[in-house]
Amino acid sequence: MTGERGQGSDGFCLDEGTFRLGCQLLVQHSRTLDDGWSWEEVQGSEEGFLKKTVLAVGRTGDPPAQGGSSWLGDDADTLRPEEDQVLQDKDVEEADGDEEHADSEKASVIRYEYHVLYSCSYQAPVLYFRASTLDGRSLSLEEMWDNVHPNYRTRLLQGPWDTITQQEHPLIGQPFFVLHPCRTQEFMTPVLSAARAENRSVNYIVSWLSLVGPVPTPLVSLQTGLRGHGVTYTWTAKRTMSETARYLLESRD
Amino acid sequence: MRKERKAAKQLGFIIAAFMVCWIPYFVIFMTRCHKHRIRKPGFDLILEKVRMAAEHTEKDPANQKLQFAPFSSALEAGFWHQLTQKKLNDYRLDESPKSIKGYYYNGDPVGLPTRLTLEFSAFDVTGPTPARCCPAFGTLYNTNTLEAFKSCDKKALLEKEANEIWETMQSETVLENPSLLSKFLLLTFADLKKYRFYYWFCFPALCFTEGIQIIAQPVPLEEKFSPKQIMALQGAYDNLCNESGATAVPYFLIKYTEEDVVVSSLRSWNNFFKGQKKVCVGIYDPCTLSQHPGWPLRNLLILIASKWGSMLDSVEVLCFRDRTLQGKRSVQHSIIFQVQLPELSLSAGCPKSVGWEKNQKGTMGPRMVNLSECMDPKRLAESSVDLNLKLMRWRLVPSLDLEKVVSIKCLLLGAGTLGCNVARTLMGWGVRHITFVDNAKISYSNPVRQPLYEFEDCLNGGKSKALAAVERLKKIFPGVNAEGYNMSIPMPGHPVNFSEVTMSQALRDVEQLEALISAHDVIFLLMDTRESRWLPTVMAASQRKLIINAALGFDTFVVMRHGLKKPKHSESGGSTPSSSASTPASASSSSSPPGPAFVPGASLFSNIPGHRLGCYFCNDVVAPGDSTRDRTLDQQCTVSRPGLAMIAGALAVELMVSILQHPEGGYAVASSSDDRMNEPPTSLGLVPHQIRGFLSRFDNVLPASLAFDKCTACSPIVLDHYEREGFQFLSKVFNSSHSFLEDLTGLTLLHQETQAAEIWDMSDDESV
């Protein structure tokens, strides 16, 4: 459908132009599905990255309210005027009684951010990710893994997801976790060579995402993640998914 | 019979007493739960459900008032990063209000709270809004102090904002730009020292004093509209978006018949409705609740009431919700209902307003988020170092036990060329606890060879090495727990009995060294003389601590682990294999001996278990004495090839790490050069006793040797004297010539017996 050869004649490297084109096509398609991928330009530069944000309900370590409680307490006096005023407002009070609203009060919504950047040195796409609570506190890696089903966690940690490091996002300068790109070429080669053998064109970015992509979303929730990705990416090539499965099986041995 | 009755009576009393005692608790518990809303998920949910059900049945449906789901503030980590940058570079002490921008989305799955999101791009007010999101414009009040944040008049802020909204309603500008209805305030204080951010959101909403009457209960759109109508609505809304050049329109007008649905923008009200008594309006609704509209509807209803209220009988409201699940778009779950707007008297001015957000506890108060984890550079350095080390486990050494390495406590005796290089390699392994002992000052020749020092450190007589090394380690990695001790280690043949003062100083030094050795897991001997290694060798052997020893010649070096004596109380008998010797420290206190006393197949040079390995002095047949006295200058100072210290220092640490990976730790059987082809005993490979390197040949060998029963440092007789007599014995050693130890251990006798002994002098005493 949206094909672009992502490799030179001699290898399976990805050059920057192809990376951008691949991203562009993915974003175009994503827009029709409204599955959240967008291209983010960095202000004042030519560079940009592919971005997706997913929200899900999960567990977070410490309740964010704890730290500030000490002075929140002694502040209550000065804030009473507003409190009274709002308490008179029935609308607010009663909407607050909704169970959904009560859920949100527990602040267990987690926002997962995935950024795909191009790495010149590895000539490959690189996945940057982080998870944070709604007040903007980033979760530690342990907290993130805590939200993955244990069975799945074990499998993922044997696959490409054991190569997580921490780095500053090169374009926005904030700390992110990174899936190290040093093995990317290795696991992309079978996919791309199979496609080449059949003279079929594939979008490198989409194939790559279907290899690493099924992984981040299960961090959110196993089932919806798999379903979402299955539907989103099988449009490129059913073959890619089976390759993925085979790769994952092999790498487990 | 009487007994039975008595028993029954007694039982009755007991139960009654029990009830009386517990009733207050039950009562308090129940009321408290209700009052303070102890949020136990299950219990709470049930409680809320019960309450809601009660409310629904109590109230006459015809009299129900409309309730709105408030916004929850949602801040991306990037927002705080950007606020920090702005505060440091642009705002500085400027507290004046700043324009910012957020957005809300209406495609959420059920269960997510209604959110107003601020991200990294919030400060770029003219920037693009994410696809299918409606912008919300806000004002940021960033205070310079927590006091200002607390004392800020929130009521006045809200009223001011509400008045502005009211004025835009009167001046028609709101019809051109309806997003002016959904505005917000954000009050912040950024504590950039502790990376704590205090904030309080406000989503100003003007209110009708008596609430809004629901005429027709909210129902899903699919119950009211036919699929055809829904398709038409969807198409009409998309067209409206295209016309206005946005991917989402916050408010719109609707007319529908059985056949068709048309929509229009807010500004064409008069032309569109042409005096209709019943109208239908649509909002882009960020709420997912089936019975409640989201917050943005509030100000729209006020606007309608103030502008056209007198002409209207009722208003039908469509809460337009547009989501795509698995590639399939749906608006069927939108909700639609009818309300009757109360009268709003324009002469009374701006209606009262609400909007400050509750905090996580559900009370009116600010929120605080602690971002030190992701903003404090020191914390970031620590987590990056750890994660980077974990990369080694990936396929290369999956079974690597990093925890053992990172948590080890290392004592470095000597902070010269070897000490500096050992410390740097330890840092590379993520070791956090490093202690230096050295008595020297940094001289001008040092910095080029000793990588923890700089030219500046040599000025004015030079800084103390131990203290300067600590300073530098902390600069390299603030997460390190480093300490320095500027002290001398008393040595055999270097008398301390010149005066009371020197004696008591020696005693203090001995006690200090004993305490240090006992507080660490691994002792590195990195000094420049042979005899200074004697005292720590004896102490560590006695305390069963692992010693790693490194010494340099001109182009030769030795790196070795000292034999680790068996735990004291099981020395005589035991031969059960150890399973608990995880670290040398724990091994020394473990009750089970580390390995069989006699290993089948153990010969003089192969398969020697750790407890039978020799120490640095075992190969010597002379006791340590004053080696600096009768030497030429070139034998006292650094005359090694400059690369040698780096090689030996690195090998010393790598040897330690390999030993730590062995299940038996310091008791591991020594690997030798012959084992190079065999299955390695640890995930990192061999655990040799010694590594002897010859730089001239670029070659290393891995000899192993047995502990010598006449050793001047680790033989039972020396340890026994040390343990029994303590400083008394030690001072005898310091003050006497080397013959004292040789006599004690029987070396003198040996000398007499053997006429000539071939001595391989590693000239370790020529090192730094």
Side-chain angles (χ1 to χ4, degrees):
Chain A
M1 198 187 292
T2 51
E4 179 58 36
R5 244 174 219 286
Q7 67 270 24
S9 54
D10 52 339
F12 295 102
C13 292
L14 178 74
D15 63 78
E16 195 165 359
T18 319
F19 169 76
R20 288 197 166 219
L21 193 59
C23 291
Q24 227 178 321
L25 292 169
L26 175 75
V27 169
Q28 261 175 31
H29 189 81
S30 161
R31 215 167 277 156
T32 66
L33 297 168
D34 191 29
D35 79 337
W37 286 105
S38 64
W39 180 261
E40 203 78 7
E41 294 275 346
V42 175
Q43 255 193 325
S45 93
E46 300 257 293
E47 294 178 284
F49 55 90
L50 201 59
K51 180 186 173 184
K52 177 172 169 139
T53 305
V54 181
L55 277 101
V57 177
R59 279 170 294 160
T60 56
D62 49 320
Q66 270 179 354
S69 56
S70 63
W71 79 256
L72 292 181
D74 57 46
D75 200 42
D77 292 341
T78 59
L79 299 172
R80 203 160 286 156
E82 277 91 359
E83 187 165 18
D84 287 343
Q85 179 214 4
V86 177
L87 284 171
Q88 288 156 16
D89 183 62
K90 275 226 140 191
D91 300 346
V92 187
E93 267 313 288
E94 305 200 353
D96 186 42
D98 281 311
E99 54 176 281
E100 262 82 6
H101 191 68
D103 269 348
S104 78
E105 289 286 349
K106 282 168 207 151
S108 49
V109 175
I110 302 176
R111 183 209 316 272
Y112 295 88
E113 275 180 81
Y114 304 106
H115 294 187
V116 179
L117 278 77
Y118 180 72
S119 158
C120 292
S121 33
Y122 287 94
Q123 295 196 291
V126 187
L127 186 72
Y128 285 73
F129 64 98
R130 72 175 163 198
S132 51
T133 53
L134 282 189
D135 53 9
R137 185 179 66 87
S138 297
L139 301 192
S140 67
L141 212 48
E142 287 72 27
E143 282 177 283
M144 284 184 79
W145 283 117
D146 278 348
N147 285 297
V148 183
H149 191 275
N151 295 346
Y152 210 60
R153 194 187 312 158
T154 322
R155 214 192 86 190
L156 293 181
L157 283 169
Q158 290 166 342
W161 278 78
D162 52 356
T163 60
I164 297 168
T165 58
Q166 191 176 31
Q167 260 173 37
E168 206 165 81
H169 192 298
L171 298 179
I172 61 175
Q174 294 162 19
F176 269 77
F177 296 114
V178 186
L179 204 54
H180 207 274
C182 50
R183 295 295 263 254
T184 302
Q185 277 213 39
E186 187 183 305
F187 65 69
M188 283 303 288
T189 302
V191 178
L192 296 173
S193 57
R196 185 193 281 179
E198 292 173 24
N199 221 3
R200 181 164 48 82
S201 61
V202 294
N203 184 334
Y204 186 112
I205 300 299
V206 175
S207 307
W208 171 76
L209 270 178
S210 39
L211 281 169
V212 296
V215 189
T217 319
L219 287 172
V220 178
S221 145
L222 185 61
Q223 282 150 351
T224 58
L226 281 177
R227 237 188 291 141
H229 274 275
V231 173
T232 314
Y233 300 112
T234 39
W235 59 272
T236 51
K238 284 229 161 69
R239 181 60 179 270
T240 313
M241 291 306 284
S242 60
E243 300 274 13
T244 310
R246 199 183 311 158
Y247 171 78
L248 286 173
L249 284 172
E250 279 164 8
S251 65
R252 234 186 312 169
D253 297 337
Chain B
M1 195 60 188
R2 234 180 42 202
K3 252 186 190 172
E4 259 175 42
R5 206 177 300 152
K6 201 176 168 190
K9 223 187 215 171
Q10 235 164 14
L11 193 69
F13 275 128
I14 287 169
I15 289 173
F18 176 84
M19 297 282 271
V20 169
C21 290
W22 280 94
I23 275 173
Y25 170 77
F26 288 131
V27 171
I28 287 168
F29 177 73
M30 300 285 270
T31 49
R32 252 190 157 181
C33 274
H34 205 76
K35 255 192 194 160
H36 299 282
R37 301 205 178 166
I38 295 170
R39 295 210 174 269
K40 278 180 199 147
F43 180 69
D44 193 45
L45 213 66
I46 292 163
L47 206 74
E48 295 286 2
K49 274 193 177 146
V50 169
R51 214 161 67 90
M52 279 183 77
E55 271 167 14
H56 277 286
T57 48
E58 267 170 29
K59 280 181 190 164
D60 176 5
N63 281 329
Q64 251 190 57
K65 301 277 166 113
L66 188 60
Q67 301 167 357
F68 304 87
F71 269 127
S72 301
S73 55
L75 294 140
E76 281 197 352
F79 174 82
W80 296 120
H81 283 275
Q82 196 65 8
L83 176 64
T84 307
Q85 290 306 311
K86 289 273 179 192
K87 166 84 185 157
L88 291 175
N89 303 325
D90 301 349
Y91 304 164
R92 296 168 199 266
L93 292 178
D94 178 8
E95 285 189 326
S96 66
K98 306 286 184 301
S99 293
I100 51 172
K101 186 179 142 185
Y103 62 82
Y104 56 93
Y105 178 60
N106 82 342
D108 283 327
V110 176
L112 289 180
T114 308
R115 279 161 295 115
L116 185 82
T117 306
L118 292 191
E119 49 175 50
F120 169 68
S121 56
F123 298 88
D124 178 18
V125 181
T126 54
T129 307
R132 299 185 192 198
C133 291
C134 281
F137 294 94
T139 312
L140 171 74
Y141 294 89
N142 185 44
T143 64
N144 286 327
T145 60
L146 188 56
E147 282 314 306
F149 178 88
K150 284 198 217 178
S151 63
C152 177
D153 188 345
K154 285 111 194 161
K155 192 171 178 179
L157 275 186
L158 172 61
E159 274 170 9
K160 180 168 167 282
E161 194 63 29
N163 270 313
E164 276 174 32
I165 295 174
W166 180 246
E167 272 163 37
T168 58
M169 285 180 182
Q170 306 313 308
S171 70
E172 312 268 324
T173 49
V174 74
L175 297 183
E176 293 304 319
N177 186 5
S179 64
L180 290 176
L181 289 178
S182 29
K183 295 183 77 177
F184 66 91
L185 297 172
L186 174 57
L187 181 63
T188 57
F189 165 66
D191 180 349
L192 298 184
K193 285 201 185 90
K194 290 179 183 155
Y195 303 96
R196 286 176 173 201
F197 294 83
Y198 298 86
Y199 67 101
W200 202 347
F201 260 93
C202 177
F203 314 103
L206 311 185
C207 331
F208 295 100
T209 33
E210 66 274 42
I212 302 161
Q213 200 70 37
I214 299 178
I215 305 175
Q217 289 294 318
V219 291
L221 186 62
E222 55 194 338
E223 284 180 22
K224 178 113 186 172
F225 275 31
S226 66
K228 193 177 172 188
Q229 282 174 310
I230 290 177
M231 283 307 289
L233 169 70
Q234 211 171 287
Y237 182 78
D238 290 349
N239 280 339
L240 185 66
C241 290
N242 286 338
E243 278 168 30
S244 61
T247 50
V249 173
Y251 304 104
F252 52 97
L253 314 175
I254 306 166
K255 273 195 294 202
Y256 58 90
T257 61
E258 295 280 303
E259 291 302 309
D260 198 15
V261 178
V262 286
V263 305
S264 179
S265 61
L266 210 54
R267 65 167 168 264
S268 53
W269 182 289
N270 292 330
N271 285 333
F272 191 72
F273 288 133
K274 296 204 174 76
Q276 268 174 249
K277 292 263 181 198
K278 286 184 173 181
V279 294
C280 181
V281 294
I283 66 154
Y284 178 93
D285 187 18
C287 179
T288 60
L289 303 176
S290 62
Q291 290 297 313
H292 302 277
W295 209 246
L297 179 60
R298 299 194 73 154
N299 288 339
L300 178 71
L301 293 181
I302 291 280
L303 173 73
I304 294 171
S306 78
K307 281 208 170 318
W308 305 287
S310 54
M311 299 183 274
L312 297 173
D313 285 345
S314 68
V315 177
E316 189 165 26
V317 180
L318 168 69
C319 294
F320 186 67
R321 297 170 184 181
D322 182 359
R323 70 175 170 222
T324 306
L325 272 183
Q326 301 178 21
K328 221 174 146 191
R329 183 176 176 188
S330 122
V331 298
Q332 287 94 308
H333 62 289
S334 301
I335 61 170
I336 191 162
F337 55 89
Q338 263 185 58
V339 294
Q340 189 167 32
L341 295 183
E343 267 179 49
L344 197 67
S345 84
L346 294 182
S347 54
C350 179
K352 85 182 176 77
S353 50
V354 293
W356 286 103
E357 188 186 19
K358 293 186 173 186
N359 61 20
Q360 291 96 328
K361 291 193 223 146
T363 59
M364 292 305 293
R367 297 170 182 235
M368 192 279 286
V369 58
N370 183 348
L371 296 187
S372 59
E373 207 78 50
C374 54
M375 280 196 175
D376 184 347
K378 292 179 183 174
R379 304 279 283 272
L380 283 173
E382 287 196 41
S383 55
S384 295
V385 163
D386 289 342
L387 276 175
N388 219 37
L389 280 165
K390 283 184 187 155
L391 276 187
M392 265 193 284
R393 290 203 302 223
W394 178 51
R395 297 200 185 203
L396 302 177
V397 197
S399 58
L400 184 66
D401 187 350
L402 277 173
E403 198 42 45
K404 267 187 192 171
V405 181
V406 171
S407 61
I408 203 86
K409 294 178 185 149
C410 295
L411 177 63
L412 275 55
L413 303 180
T417 41
L418 278 169
C420 285
N421 284 300
V422 164
R424 293 229 59 151
T425 317
L426 286 173
M427 298 260 277
W429 270 104
V431 173
R432 296 289 201 274
H433 197 117
I434 300 173
T435 305
F436 293 99
V437 170
D438 203 306
N439 66 346
K441 289 191 159 50
I442 304 165
S443 70
Y444 286 111
S445 66
N446 293 154
V448 292
R449 280 181 180 235
Q450 303 182 6
L452 294 179
Y453 312 125
E454 286 174 359
F455 169 71
E456 300 280 325
D457 298 328
C458 319
L459 301 179
N460 304 319
K463 293 183 183 168
S464 149
K465 280 189 176 180
L467 306 183
V470 167
E471 230 171 83
R472 192 54 41 88
L473 286 198
K474 285 182 176 165
K475 274 192 184 170
I476 293 166
F477 180 61
V480 75
N481 175 12
E483 270 186 85
Y485 291 85
N486 183 19
M487 61 175 272
S488 310
I489 296 171
M491 299 179 276
H494 293 246
V496 293
N497 55 352
F498 301 113
S499 68
E500 281 290 311
V501 182
T502 53
M503 271 304 261
S504 61
Q505 181 61 45
L507 177 61
R508 277 202 301 276
D509 289 341
V510 164
E511 283 171 350
Q512 176 75 270
L513 189 64
E514 266 171 349
L516 282 172
I517 287 173
S518 133
H520 290 78
D521 304 318
V522 179
I523 320 301
F524 282 88
L525 302 188
L526 312 164
M527 303 88 127
D528 50 359
T529 58
R530 200 165 72 93
E531 60 267 32
S532 62
R533 297 165 199 257
W534 179 82
L535 182 60
T537 299
V538 174
M539 287 176 172
S542 167
Q543 294 191 28
R544 311 299 192 252
K545 299 281 181 171
L546 181 64
I547 287 190
I548 304 287
N549 196 335
L552 305 175
F554 166 65
D555 58 2
T556 57
F557 65 84
V558 60
V559 170
M560 66 185 292
R561 55 168 162 137
H562 285 188
L564 188 58
K565 309 285 178 206
K566 280 194 188 175
K568 278 173 191 164
H569 40 282
S570 62
E571 217 144 298
S572 49
S575 61
T576 43
S578 159
S579 57
S580 63
S582 54
T583 65
S586 70
S588 66
S589 59
S590 103
S591 57
S592 67
F598 174 74
V599 177
S603 73
L604 203 54
F605 300 113
S606 66
N607 289 335
I608 307 173
H611 71 276
R612 296 185 63 205
L613 288 171
C615 78
Y616 185 67
F617 294 95
C618 285
N619 293 320
D620 288 325
V621 284
V622 282
D626 188 345
S627 65
T628 54
R629 197 164 43 204
D630 305 317
R631 297 290 169 101
T632 54
L633 186 70
D634 65 309
Q635 282 171 303
Q636 286 176 39
C637 55
T638 309
V639 281
S640 62
R641 288 177 65 168
L644 209 58
M646 299 187 188
I647 297 172
L651 283 174
V653 175
E654 299 299 339
L655 176 63
M656 175 199 82
V657 174
S658 291
I659 293 169
L660 293 180
Q661 295 306 307
H662 195 285
E664 288 172 28
Y667 296 111
V669 169
S671 316
S672 69
S673 298
D674 299 337
D675 292 323
R676 282 174 177 162
M677 309 306 282
N678 299 338
E679 180 73 18
T682 77
S683 56
L684 291 176
L686 302 182
V687 278
H689 175 218
Q690 304 172 28
I691 305 153
R692 286 181 184 256
F694 305 90
L695 200 53
S696 57
R697 306 199 311 257
F698 294 99
D699 188 23
N700 293 344
V701 294
L702 308 178
S705 59
L706 286 165
F708 179 37
D709 63 350
K710 294 185 175 57
C711 175
T712 52
C714 75
S715 58
I717 186 157
V718 173
L719 293 182
D720 191 47
H721 274 82
Y722 162 68
E723 281 160 20
R724 271 193 290 117
E725 297 169 30
F727 185 69
Q728 211 186 345
F729 164 71
L730 294 178
S731 62
K732 262 189 255 168
V733 177
F734 302 147
N735 297 333
S736 324
S737 72
H738 53 81
S739 62
F740 172 74
L741 277 174
E742 289 173 15
D743 291 344
L744 179 75
T745 56
L747 270 181
T748 316
L749 201 67
L750 190 73
H751 273 288
Q752 289 159 359
E753 286 169 5
T754 51
Q755 287 300 307
E758 195 180 7
I759 303 161
W760 183 18
D761 186 1
M762 278 303 296
S763 42
D764 52 88
D765 46 339
E766 293 165 0
S767 59
V768 190

